[in-house]
């Protein structure tokens, strides 16, 4: 458009082309209110203090423990000739033969740490060097406590009775008045397939498959397949058998609770629907019942049922049942009220009874909603059952809470989280397939 044409248009329709000051003011006012609210929330929740208290070192250690394992090397200052090497600091998992990265030295030990560091342990002190031989930490052992002889480092924490060093995520040491503890980290979950005392210790996944296919039995009393399965499920460190059982209980809580809620809410929804029950006195109490059931969160219901029936999956099933009955009742009753009346009127003109009009005129219309919402909540309740289980209803949630409570089994915590995500993905895919087959008739 030429400039002259635009000027002509602007002169002719000045009001239409003029900026809308009221709308601009509304946008600016909304942005200002949002900024003020953000400032209020920041101060109300004292976010600055919370960020100041954040322990990033602790968070980094927990993250590292979730995907790596550490081997503790412990030397008592009362007996420097003795060295204890344990997996994750567990005395049940003590190495009888020293790892290759630990070698005896004159009156002490040389330890090759990960991330390019070497530590010389001697009765009188600890010396850490890098791979080029440069000294980076020199600590003397004294009766009153460890003493730092070398220059301070940002990664060293020096206290009167304790010196802790962590030059890298994969290398850490702690020196106290009585002992020295080295922590060497390695990526991976150690003993994931078979525990420390298993005859199959050190055998990986491919090795287990090869063992199953082999005709030579490890144990003459049972087949290799039976041995591999029993040793895997009986793994004391990772507790695969107990975790799989707990995962099954969680899925059971979700499935049973959702199905009970769906089939209980469907007939009640017909009573609460305006086009089925004309009397407000009759349908009103059912609408308020749905409000009450879904107004109380599933976590609150689970706490109530745990007090009433004790710990166990029954409390979780009842909590899901009560909450979802209220939600399903509202969704189904609204679907019934929005059903096309022409089908019902057409059947009424043929002399069909009220039951026939409902069953053949309304049910086919709300059936997709019934199936779709039920399957969606089935997938969603798998996550809810995990949280409910942490409160005491059992299942995988209780196992997850146990691993998080100690603060030392974060690799087990990550393992359970991976399983939970996996089962949610499976439930989502299964529910999507069922929806397509039952509603659309497609595979």
């Amino acid at each position: 458009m030429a400039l002259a044409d635009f000027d002509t248009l602007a002169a002719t329709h000045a009001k239409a082309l003029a900026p809308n000051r009221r709308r601009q003011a509304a946008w600016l006012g909304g942005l200002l209110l949002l900024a003020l609210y953000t400032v209020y929330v920041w101060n109300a929740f004292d976010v600055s203090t919370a960020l100041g208290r954040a322990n990033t070192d602790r968070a980094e250690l927990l993250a590292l423990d979730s995907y790596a394992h550490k081997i503790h090397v412990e030397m008592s200052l009362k007996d420097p000739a003795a060295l204890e090497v344990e997996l994750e600091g567990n005395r049940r998992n003590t190495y009888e033969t020293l790892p290759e990265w630990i070698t005896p030295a004159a009156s002490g030990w040389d330890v090759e740490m990960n991330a390019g560091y070497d530590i010389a342990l001697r009765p009188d002190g600890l010396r850490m060097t890098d791979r080029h031989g440069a000294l980076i930490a020199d600590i003397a052992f004294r009766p009153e406590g460890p003493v730092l002889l070398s220059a301070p480092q940002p990664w060293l924490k020096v206290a009167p009775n304790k010196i802790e060093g962590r030059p890298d995520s994969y290398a850490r040491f702690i020196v106290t008045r009585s002992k020295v503890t080295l922590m060497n980290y390695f990526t991976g979950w150690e003993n994931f397939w078979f525990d420390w005392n298993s005859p199959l210790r050190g055998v990986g996944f491919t090795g287990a498959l090869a063992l199953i296919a082999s005709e030579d039995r490890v144990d003459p009393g049972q087949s290799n397949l039976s041995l591999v399965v029993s040793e895997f499920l009986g793994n004391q460190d990772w507790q695969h058998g107990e975790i799989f059982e707990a995962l099954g209980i969680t899925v059971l809580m979700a499935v049973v609770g959702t199905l009970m809620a769906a089939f209980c809410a469907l007939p009640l929804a017909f009573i609460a629907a305006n086009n089925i029950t004309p009397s407000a006195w009759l349908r009103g109490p059912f609408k308020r019942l749905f409000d009450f059931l879904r107004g109380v969160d599933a976590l609150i219901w689970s706490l109530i049922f745990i007090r009433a029936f004790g710990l166990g999956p029954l409390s979780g099933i009842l909590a899901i049942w009560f909450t979802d009955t209220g939600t399903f009742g509202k969704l189904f009753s609204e679907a019934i009220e929005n059903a096309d009346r022409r089908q019902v009127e057409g059947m009424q003109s043929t002399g069909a009874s009220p039951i026939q009009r409902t069953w053949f005129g309304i049910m086919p219309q709300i059936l997709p909603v019934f199936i779709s919402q039920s399957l969606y909540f089935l997938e969603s309740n798998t996550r809810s059952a995990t949280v409910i289980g942490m409160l005491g209803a059992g299942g995988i949630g209780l196992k997850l809470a146990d691993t998080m409570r100690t603060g030392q089994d974060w690799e087990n915590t990550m393992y359970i989280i991976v399983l939970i995500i996996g089962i949610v993905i499976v439930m989502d895919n299964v529910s999507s397939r069922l929806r397509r087959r039952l509603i659309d008739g497609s595979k």
Side-chain angles (χ1 to χ4, degrees):
M1 177 183 294
L3 183 61
D5 295 337
F6 181 81
D7 292 338
T8 302
L9 185 64
T12 307
H13 304 282
K15 293 184 178 180
L17 295 177
N20 191 328
R21 302 298 182 185
R22 182 177 298 178
R23 180 174 297 179
Q24 292 177 348
W27 274 102
L28 290 175
L31 292 175
L32 180 61
L33 289 175
L34 180 61
L36 292 175
Y37 183 72
T38 303
V39 173
Y40 166 75
V41 170
W42 185 279
N43 293 320
F45 290 97
D46 201 5
V47 177
S48 300
T49 304
L51 292 176
R53 290 198 305 262
N55 190 338
T56 56
D57 292 338
R58 175 70 172 169
E60 185 179 350
L61 274 177
L62 294 178
L64 180 62
D65 283 339
S66 67
Y67 65 85
H69 65 278
K70 60 182 178 293
I71 298 179
H72 287 222
V73 180
E74 187 174 300
M75 185 183 78
S76 173
L77 298 184
K78 296 180 180 179
D79 185 12
L83 203 67
E84 293 186 0
V85 183
E86 304 160 348
L87 176 64
E88 297 289 352
N90 191 335
R91 295 191 180 277
R92 293 187 295 106
N93 299 340
T94 303
Y95 286 83
E96 298 178 0
T97 304
L98 294 179
E100 58 183 10
W101 43 272
I102 302 177
T103 56
S107 67
W109 309 89
D110 289 334
V111 182
E112 183 180 337
M113 303 290 287
N114 280 330
Y117 299 100
D118 294 315
I119 291 181
L121 282 178
R122 302 296 184 263
D124 59 345
L126 175 152
R127 291 171 60 87
M128 172 177 273
T129 59
D130 60 19
R131 288 291 187 264
H132 302 290
L135 179 67
I136 59 174
D138 188 5
I139 301 172
F141 304 149
R142 304 284 171 77
E144 63 274 11
V147 178
L148 179 65
L149 302 179
S150 59
Q153 300 286 347
W155 43 267
L156 276 172
K157 296 181 180 179
V158 181
N161 297 319
K162 177 182 176 182
I163 296 179
E164 181 177 350
R166 191 182 175 205
D168 188 86
S169 299
Y170 277 66
R172 183 184 175 201
F173 65 82
I174 300 175
V175 183
T176 63
R177 296 175 58 182
S178 58
K179 66 180 181 180
V180 180
T181 303
L182 311 181
M183 302 176 193
N184 212 5
Y185 284 82
F186 299 86
T187 301
W189 291 344
E190 187 72 356
N191 294 341
F192 177 77
W193 300 102
F194 308 104
D195 62 30
W196 192 268
N197 299 316
S198 172
L200 303 179
R201 174 190 163 193
V203 177
F205 178 71
T206 56
L209 293 180
L211 191 63
I212 292 173
S214 175
E215 296 181 356
D216 298 329
R217 291 191 173 187
V218 176
D219 184 356
Q222 59 180 331
S223 65
N224 288 345
L225 175 61
S226 174
L227 177 65
V228 167
V229 172
S230 62
E231 290 296 323
F232 174 75
L233 295 179
N235 190 321
Q236 295 298 314
D237 295 332
W238 291 90
Q239 303 177 356
H240 299 297
E242 297 180 15
I243 288 177
F244 290 161
E245 181 181 358
L247 197 61
I249 292 175
T250 298
V251 174
L252 179 68
M253 282 195 292
V255 172
V256 175
T258 305
L259 291 180
M260 289 174 61
F263 287 107
C264 180
L266 184 60
L268 298 180
F270 278 96
I271 303 177
N274 296 336
N275 55 342
I276 301 298
T277 307
S279 174
W281 292 98
L282 183 58
R283 67 173 185 270
F286 288 94
K287 287 183 177 291
R288 302 292 78 79
L289 174 64
F290 295 152
D291 294 338
F292 170 70
L293 291 176
R294 75 174 186 275
V296 180
D297 191 79
L299 297 180
I300 307 300
W301 282 121
S302 65
L303 291 174
I304 294 173
F305 289 123
I306 287 173
R307 293 295 299 270
F309 300 102
L311 303 177
L314 176 61
S315 301
I317 291 173
L318 294 176
I320 294 174
W321 177 27
F322 269 49
T323 306
D324 283 3
T325 297
T327 305
F328 283 147
K330 177 177 175 58
L331 293 173
F332 295 164
S333 62
E334 290 179 351
I336 294 170
E337 291 172 351
N338 293 325
D340 190 356
R341 292 292 303 172
R342 289 176 296 180
Q343 297 186 25
V344 179
E345 292 170 355
M347 296 187 64
Q348 185 176 5
S349 64
T350 63
S353 65
I355 296 179
Q356 290 174 327
R357 294 197 299 268
T358 301
W359 184 256
F360 295 104
I362 295 179
M363 276 299 295
Q365 298 185 60
I366 70 165
L367 190 60
V369 177
F370 175 78
I371 295 174
S372 179
Q373 293 294 336
S374 299
L375 291 176
Y376 169 75
F377 273 83
L378 176 61
E379 177 262 325
S380 177
N381 284 335
T382 305
R383 300 189 300 270
S384 300
T386 301
V387 179
I388 291 173
M390 297 181 73
L391 300 179
I396 198 66
L398 192 59
K399 281 288 184 183
L400 181 62
D402 289 341
T403 61
M404 296 178 66
R405 190 174 295 116
T406 62
Q408 297 178 349
D409 301 323
W410 283 95
E411 66 275 12
N412 299 75
T413 302
M414 181 58 65
Y415 171 47
I416 293 175
I417 290 174
V418 169
L419 288 179
I420 292 173
I421 294 174
I423 198 65
V424 169
I425 292 174
V426 170
M427 295 293 288
D428 179 49
N429 290 332
V430 170
S431 62
S432 298
R433 283 176 171 268
L434 287 175
R435 270 197 300 270
R436 287 196 297 268
R437 296 199 65 174
L438 294 176
I439 297 176
D440 302 332
S442 59
K443 295 184 178 180

